[in-house]
Amino acid sequence: MDNTTVGFIGLGRMGWPMAHNLAAAGFDLIVYDADPTVGPRFAEEHASAVATSAVDFAPADILVTMLPNGQIVQDCLLEWTGGVASFLHDGAIVVDMSSSSPTDTLELAAKIADRGVHVVDAPVSGGVPRATSGELSLMVGGDPADIARVAPVLDVLGDPARRFVTGRLGAGHAMKAMNNYVAAARYVATAEALIIGEEYGLSPAAEIEVINTSTGRSFVSEVVFDEVVSGRHSTGFLLGLLAKDVKIARALADAAHVDAPMSALVDERWSHALATLGGERDHSEAHFAWWDATLTAP
């Protein structure tokens, strides 16, 4: 591995295995997590450096952020102990792999451009299993030259065959929001179909079996609803994160003045689930907020 130094902020469910893969690939790492016990533990296990303040990221050539939302990314880059961006060198690149709003990404890039720090957005899909295996799907937006410079890092974190350069800065985050909005809409429609079907004597397991061999088939019906009808509810993707992405999608439609009533309806459904169940529940439990039904196999 070359002498590229990578900073990594956010060692959560996804961030820890992603940073682990970078360490295993030979990158010099500087890590930080808001939980003060996590960074030192990672550093000890991986012989990496741990940051205790923003200035500790000064050697980083590439800074990866894997955080809950774009506002937290901005707080880290602009506010935390002086703002990490204040200490990055001219030409450093921030790769935001969080599920952020494109508007937050563009705002951040504008605020740090005069420091010579560039931004690439590269949100991910694939959950903890693909974060662990290094086979995440990546949706990448930014200047082509910046994307080329961070490609060695992206090659470790995601499957190159599943890396999509979506366009200008912000396009990656827009694509992630659109993808998750479609998945959330499919969840609502599939759950409604199972509830309606039960009123006509259909079991949820039988319905899913037919849907998965018919035109209603989707990743949601095949994978997520396997968790639903089995009663496991262990996809590893939090309800709060999906509700956030749906809200971003609706906001983008509104900002673009696109007539998209479905986005409003899906947002209302997931906002209700979030308010009722809380953001820490598995997203495959969302239907519990809508009906008093388990949808599990008999």
Side-chain angles (χ1 to χ4, degrees), residues 53-186:
S53 66
V55 68
D56 294 329
F57 284 104
D61 304 298
I62 296 170
L63 177 72
V64 176
T65 52
M66 191 63 185
L67 296 165
N69 58 58
Q71 187 56 60
I72 296 175
V73 174
Q74 287 208 32
D75 289 345
C76 284
L77 269 291
L78 304 175
E79 304 293 338
W80 175 59
T81 63
V84 175
S86 298
F87 301 101
L88 295 176
H89 63 74
D90 187 358
I93 301 178
V94 175
V95 182
D96 183 19
M97 306 189 81
S98 320
S99 291
S100 302
S101 167
T103 55
D104 288 339
T105 304
L106 294 171
E107 186 177 278
L108 173 65
K111 288 179 177 178
I112 64 177
D114 62 349
R115 302 169 191 174
V117 178
H118 302 205
V119 179
V120 168
D121 56 316
V124 307
S125 180
V128 174
R130 285 189 180 173
T132 302
S133 67
E135 297 176 307
L136 290 165
S137 296
L138 306 181
M139 294 148 271
V140 188
D143 182 272
D146 292 336
I147 294 172
R149 284 185 55 203
V150 302
V153 168
L154 301 183
D155 286 344
V156 172
L157 299 178
D159 180 351
R162 294 190 178 104
R163 184 163 73 225
F164 303 94
V165 177
T166 54
R168 66 193 184 196
L169 183 64
H173 283 139
M175 184 66 250
K176 175 66 181 292
M178 294 303 109
N179 176 75
N180 281 10
Y181 155 60
V182 171
R186 287 185 181 277

Side-chain angles (χ1 to χ4, degrees), residues 13-14 66 68 99 124-129 176 179-181 183-184 187 219 224 227 233-246 270 278-286:
R13 296 182 184 184
M14 297 284 289
M66 191 63 185
S99 291
V124 307
S125 180
V128 174
K176 175 66 181 292
N179 176 75
N180 281 10
Y181 155 60
Y187 185 101
F219 175 88
V224 178
E227 296 291 324
H233 302 291
S234 58
T235 69
F237 189 51
L238 298 181
L239 191 158
L241 295 178
L242 187 54
K244 177 202 65 178
D245 288 345
V246 172
W270 283 90
E280 295 301 310
R281 296 282 287 272
D282 194 89
H283 85 286
S284 65
E285 299 178 276

Side-chain angles (χ1 to χ4, degrees), residues 11-28:
L11 298 170
R13 296 182 184 184
M14 297 284 289
W16 181 290
M18 292 167 67
H20 166 83
N21 289 338
L22 290 172
F27 284 101
D28 292 330

Side-chain angles (χ1 to χ4, degrees), residues 252-272:
L252 293 177
D254 291 344
H257 305 292
V258 174
D259 182 19
M262 182 68 77
S263 69
L265 291 170
V266 175
D267 178 39
E268 289 170 8
R269 211 59 162 152
W270 283 90
S271 293
H272 176 66

